[in-house]
Amino acid sequence: MPTTPGESRPQLRIERCVCHDVTFREVVDWSKATGCRSVDAAAREFKCTTSCGMCLPYVERALETGQCVFHEILPLRRGAAR
């Protein structure tokens, strides 16, 4: 999307698994409540990471850091797709 001088671009905002409509906030809240930080356990609980797999790096980082909103595209590691 081209912009003119002085015009800002919309900020990228990634905050959910779109396949299963699960926010990363829900995953982090669940993790805090249960003490579980396993991606596999989160996948069983919410189904995130089990369809297209594009949310996998976000779920991993959310569980590691508690970050729930991302403003950059995180790379999917080779061999990480489910």
Side-chain angles (χ1 to χ4, degrees), residues 17-20 47 49-56 76 81-82:
C17 163
V18 296
C19 294
H20 297 284
K47 305 294 186 243
T49 77
T50 64
S51 290
C52 79
M54 295 301 292
C55 67
L56 179 59
L76 185 62
R82 296 175 171 259

Side-chain angles (χ1 to χ4, degrees), residues 30-45:
W30 166 84
S31 175
K32 288 178 181 177
T34 63
C36 184
R37 293 176 53 190
S38 162
V39 173
D40 289 335
R44 284 191 298 274
E45 182 72 19

Side-chain angles (χ1 to χ4, degrees), residues 57-68:
Y58 302 97
V59 171
E60 288 174 331
R61 187 174 292 175
L63 290 171
E64 290 170 7
T65 68
Q67 182 179 355
C68 298

